[in-house]
Every structure is written in structure tokens, then in C-alpha cells.
Amino acid sequence: MTDQATITVDGNIIPLLGFGTWQLEPADARRMVAEALRIGYRHIDTAWIYKNEAAVGDGIRDAIEAGHVAREDIWLTTKIWVEHFDHAGLLKQAEESANSLGFTPDLLLLHWPKATPPFAETIGALNEAKEKGFTRNIGLSNFPSAQFREAQGLSKARLITNQVEYHPYLKLTKLLETARELGSSITAWSPLAQGQVADDPTLKEIGERHGKSAAQVTLRWLIQQGVIAIPRTTKVHRAEESFDIFDFALTDEDMDRVHALARPDGRLGDWLDKAFEWDHEW
């Protein structure tokens, strides 16, 4: 395996391949975070609502104590839950998350956009969390382009990323353009479409030519776009497979064929507040 790819956003060097912990019970989160860091991952993603922040912190400490990694080489992300978007609630949860992790996160995200309280209050509190040292950087998750622009307009600090669902079956052209225009990035959750990519004939055929799996092709497709991908698994061999994507490259034709798999009904997880709507791509 060769050196992994990174993206630089507002002076921050972020590994394009991370390890996600959504739906991981604490024991699995601790075990798999430690294993992921042993394998070579240097980007870990969690959230307050996952109820595994303390376990993620334990896994990081396990890997550090085993000599696999140093804290300064890890990019660590967590998220503020929507019930804590008021000024006092956000600051309280930001401090709680840092304490649960046992580390200052590199990035603190708003988990979903919410109509109330006003964006100005929430974004102001998010910036204050950064100023108070509860996080090194701030960003968003699941924000459509209009709200992404509005949030950045209200934020003193750069919003480092917008973490959203993205995989071959979902078109994200407008949001990718918005991120570029705002000097930000896109992070893909459910990058493997909750396992659907494994049996896709197109992805399998491309993979066979490169000696790779459909999942590896998908992750390579994402990072070649400059998109951060955070697959998650409870199986060590799957984490190893997902990390083994730095020794090949997809051709322009390969990339176009994967893009062509997008479909209007491709979204798998939609908990967007009814006050907002996704970008129209079709």
C-alpha cells in the first residue's frame, strides 16, 4: 500500500479515506477504531448521537499505547445533535463531546440543518465552541446547497466540510460545486450505499480489470473526486479491503461509468427537516 491521499482545506490536511462509526456499539467502536488505526487509517468519524464517543476515544488511546499512531497524526470528527442547536445547549454538548472523547476533536459538525433556533444563533455558538477550544475546526452535515451558503455567510470561521450521503447511485453535482466555491469539501457517508455496490455489475466489471472489488472501485471513485469517504464495518478484513485503494487509479472512462449509475431514487437516508429541500439534480 502506498501513501494515502489527502485534501487541504483552510490549511488543514485531511485524509480522504476515513473510518466511520455510525451504528457501532461501544465495544465494536473501540475495537474497530483501534484496528483501523493499526491498518493505517488516520481519520476517524463519530457523533454524539451514535452514543460511542467515549469508546472511540478509548480505541484511539489503545492504538496510541500500542505504538500504531500518534494523536497529532489523527483527524477526529464528531457532531452536535439537533436538539442541542441553541447557544447554551451547543456549547454544553461541544464540551461534553470533547470530554467523552478525551481529545479535542479536529472537526465539530452540525448534524442536520434545523429551522429553529435561527441559523445565526447556532452558527454563532458553533464558532464560539471553536474559540473556547472545544474543537479545532467547524463544519456541517446534511446541508443542501442553499443552507450551506447561508451557514458560511453567517460563520466567521471556514466551514471545513459538509458531510452528506454520497455514493454511485446519488447525484451530487450542485453540492460539490457549492463546496468548491465556498473553499470547503464534501465528506461522503454511506459511501458504499449500505453494501449495495458489492453486487453492481458495472462496478464489478471495472474492479475485475483493476484487480479490485466493487467496493474498492467505489471508494477510489470518491477520493479521485477529492471527496472524503468514511466507510464503516465491524469486520477487520473489510476495513483492510477498504484501505487498500491507494495502488491503482480509475480512468476517465471508469469515472464516467460510475457517475452514470446515479438515479433519481438513489437516496437511502433522508431525515431532512421539512423546512428545507435537497438540490434538484434531475
Side-chain angles (χ1 to χ4, degrees), residues 50-208:
Y50 300 169
K51 303 185 187 305
N52 61 18
E53 285 177 318
V56 166
D58 287 339
I60 292 172
R61 279 184 289 276
D62 291 344
I64 291 172
E65 289 171 7
H68 297 312
V69 67
R71 168 62 185 101
E72 58 267 25
D73 295 327
I74 303 168
W75 183 267
L76 176 60
T77 298
T78 193
K79 310 175 191 76
I80 298 287
W81 186 237
V82 296
E83 294 175 358
H84 309 148
F85 275 15
D86 63 286
H87 182 268
L90 190 150
L91 291 174
K92 181 180 178 181
Q93 196 230 285
E95 184 174 17
E96 177 186 326
S97 289
N99 288 337
S100 293
L101 289 163
F103 302 101
T104 301
D106 297 285
L107 181 57
L108 184 65
L109 309 179
L110 300 178
H111 211 143
W112 287 86
K114 189 179 176 185
T116 55
F119 273 11
E121 178 179 346
T122 304
I123 294 296
L126 188 64
N127 275 266
E128 191 172 333
K130 179 178 184 293
E131 291 162 5
K132 287 181 176 294
F134 299 147
T135 181
R136 295 188 175 93
N137 296 280
I138 57 175
L140 309 172
S141 186
N142 301 302
F143 275 54
S145 288
Q147 286 69 47
F148 192 0
R149 292 182 187 280
E150 182 181 357
Q152 184 59 78
L154 292 166
S155 180
K156 290 184 290 183
R158 178 77 60 195
L159 299 170
I160 295 296
T161 201
N162 187 5
Q163 185 181 128
V164 296
E165 179 183 347
Y166 188 35
H167 45 69
Y169 309 119
L170 193 60
K171 198 171 186 179
L172 218 67
T173 307
K174 292 181 180 178
L175 202 57
L176 287 163
E177 291 174 353
T178 299
R180 281 193 290 270
E181 290 171 11
L182 295 177
S184 187
S185 66
I186 293 295
T187 299
W189 59 259
S190 284
L192 303 179
Q194 297 177 16
Q196 291 186 23
V197 302
D199 297 317
D200 188 285
T202 298
L203 297 172
K204 289 172 69 175
E205 190 275 325
I206 294 172
E208 286 169 3

Side-chain angles (χ1 to χ4, degrees), residues 46 64 100 133 141 181 193 218 222-223 232:
T46 185
I64 291 172
S100 293
S141 186
E181 290 171 11
T218 301
L222 287 165
I223 70 168
R232 64 113 170 113

